[in-house]
Amino acid sequence: MKNRFLCPSCRSDLKIKNSVIFSAQTENGIRGLVLFSPELGNYSILHVPSFTYNAGDHIDFFCPVCHASLGIPEVNRDLAEIIMIDEKQVEYKIIFSEIAGKQCTVKIKENTIVESFGDDAGEFSNFWGVGPTY
Ligand SMILES: [Zn+2]
């Protein structure tokens, strides 16, 4: 998978080797870097042990380059968004949950859900019905 993942604000590459890197802050104000798998639907997360949180906590994600928030509160306060560019140079929005342990990710092109991932992905229909309206 040679997909690229970009910050929506500064369009810096957020993927290095096999990790997508975000800056993050927990509900309790703990800050740290978190590494996600670039494989959509793989929810393994790497971080240092002192970056602690509980399942169900809201975690804010930021671009580690420009520090812009990746959250999209205009759609939902618990969702965040980045850009993915696939091997064919097609650009998608990747929207994912900011709730620890919640597994839902959707791939969006031209305001339509192309693919969804994760056990909790069905919850996206609560936000968008047949498709996103923003
Ligand atoms: Zn950025």
Side-chain angles (χ1 to χ4, degrees), residues 6-14 62-70:
L6 308 184
C7 166
S9 294
C10 70
R11 295 184 74 87
S12 294
D13 278 283
L14 301 178
F62 303 88
C63 170
V65 180
C66 74
H67 306 293
S69 171
L70 300 175

Side-chain angles (χ1 to χ4, degrees), residues 18-117:
N18 289 318
S19 296
V20 180
I21 303 171
F22 299 133
S23 169
Q25 182 169 2
T26 69
E27 278 180 16
N28 296 327
I30 301 171
R31 294 177 187 213
L33 292 173
V34 291
L35 278 62
F36 283 87
S37 168
E39 184 192 331
L40 299 177
N42 178 341
Y43 293 93
S44 57
I45 303 177
L46 296 174
H47 52 75
V48 294
S50 59
F51 186 83
T52 55
Y53 54 86
N54 298 309
D57 283 0
H58 177 100
I59 299 176
D60 284 313
F61 293 106
F62 303 88
C63 170
V65 180
C66 74
H67 306 293
S69 171
L70 300 175
I72 45 170
E74 67 278 14
V75 178
N76 182 281
R77 70 171 294 274
D78 292 324
L79 294 178
E81 171 185 297
I82 56 172
I83 292 166
M84 187 186 94
I85 299 176
D86 73 7
E87 292 149 317
K88 295 171 186 155
Q89 304 305 313
V90 180
E91 187 166 319
Y92 300 92
K93 288 179 180 174
I94 301 297
I95 303 207
F96 57 97
S97 175
E98 293 187 304
I99 300 296
K102 183 141 286 197
Q103 302 192 341
C104 54
T105 308
V106 290
K107 189 166 123 182
I108 287 178
K109 183 163 167 50
E110 286 154 9
N111 291 349
T112 303
I113 296 176
V114 180
E115 247 182 303
S116 58
F117 305 86

Side-chain angles (χ1 to χ4, degrees), residues 122-133:
E123 296 188 17
F124 276 97
S125 60
N126 296 337
F127 303 127
W128 287 310
V130 291
T133 53

